Amino acid sequence: LLLLLGFALVTIRINDQKVYLKKLIEIEVERKAIVSHFEYLFKYANDIITLLDKDFRIVEVNDKAIGTYGYSRGEMIGLNGKLLYSDLGQKLVSENLRFINDKGFDFYEAVNRRKDGSEFPVEVSARSIEIEGNKYFQFITRDITERKQTETVLRESEEQYRSLFENMINGFAYCQMLFEDGKPSD
């Protein structure tokens, strides 16, 4: 009877372990699928994504960052993130970091610099995050060169229209004075 009871307990214990291990495997498969999904999103995102440590050194970048800035992946990892900003932008980084540290996030426009020295306008969504007890900064950066060019063309067009309209009114008043009573006046 004791042997049967012992055998039953061992069988129950083995079944419990099987169920537990099966559940662990399912959780691990699900975790791997999620990690794989986020790696895919990170790698192929249309925006520049950079992860920087508390010292503002680049820890991770996506393919868009490599293509946009012109650095190789090896050159970017460990690079001071301030080097991706224009001279003016580098001065503002400290201010932005204070805001990110206080509020946890920031959204702003800046001018970034490529490896070749060329600069381009960007829109930045920054966030401080904690991973395994370490603080990081995540930057999602969008090149807004086309938008800025369109805004400039639109602004110039509005100025031309305004000038034309204002001069048209002056010309109309002048013509009206010339043609009073239906005949040209001297």
Side-chain angles (χ1 to χ4, degrees):
L1 202 66
L2 282 174
L3 229 81
L4 267 171
L5 183 62
F7 182 73
L9 287 175
V10 168
T11 304
I12 291 171
R13 175 78 173 152
I14 290 172
N15 282 338
D16 285 348
Q17 284 181 340
K18 283 182 183 177
V19 169
Y20 177 73
L21 289 174
K22 186 177 179 182
K23 183 103 172 140
L24 278 180
I25 290 169
E26 288 172 0
I27 290 170
E28 182 63 18
V29 167
E30 188 176 309
R31 187 192 68 75
K32 283 183 179 180
I34 291 170
V35 166
S36 177
H37 175 71
F38 281 109
E39 285 175 352
Y40 182 84
L41 285 174
F42 179 80
K43 182 174 175 80
Y44 298 110
N46 287 326
D47 290 330
I48 299 163
I49 302 175
T50 52
L51 183 67
L52 295 92
D53 65 15
K54 64 180 174 43
D55 297 323
F56 217 65
R57 298 263 173 224
I58 297 174
V59 175
E60 189 61 64
V61 294
N62 69 344
D63 288 353
K64 183 73 172 186
I66 294 166
T68 301
Y69 291 113
Y71 291 96
S72 70
R73 179 178 178 72
E75 290 173 317
M76 286 194 82
I77 303 300
L79 187 71
N80 186 328
K82 290 181 182 179
L83 296 178
L84 301 179
Y85 284 86
S86 67
D87 293 336
L88 176 61
Q90 288 181 23
K91 294 175 185 172
L92 298 174
V93 167
S94 302
E95 187 178 312
N96 291 74
L97 285 177
R98 273 196 298 277
F99 189 84
I100 295 167
N101 281 324
D102 291 345
K103 303 292 182 188
F105 66 94
D106 196 6
F107 186 79
Y108 57 92
E109 287 187 6
V111 177
N112 276 184
R113 179 182 294 143
R114 293 181 182 90
K115 182 180 179 179
D116 66 9
S118 62
E119 296 180 348
F120 60 102
V122 295
E123 184 177 78
V124 180
S125 175
R127 180 167 298 284
S128 68
I129 56 176
E130 192 171 309
I131 302 172
E132 296 180 9
N134 296 314
K135 187 173 193 165
Y136 294 93
F137 298 101
Q138 175 186 318
F139 289 84
I140 300 175
T141 306
R142 178 170 290 159
D143 182 345
I144 57 172
T145 302
E146 287 182 27
R147 185 177 88 192
K148 289 296 186 180
Q149 290 170 343
T150 302
E151 288 172 357
T152 300
V153 169
L154 182 60
R155 189 171 34 260
E156 290 171 356
S157 174
E158 287 173 351
E159 288 171 8
Q160 286 177 344
Y161 177 76
R162 185 178 300 108
S163 174
L164 179 66
F165 183 75
E166 288 170 356
N167 290 327
M168 183 186 78
I169 292 173
N170 293 338
F172 180 75
Y174 179 72
C175 286
Q176 189 175 18
M177 287 177 17
L178 287 176
F179 291 99
E180 286 180 351
D181 298 327
K183 54 185 173 180
S185 60
D186 296 325

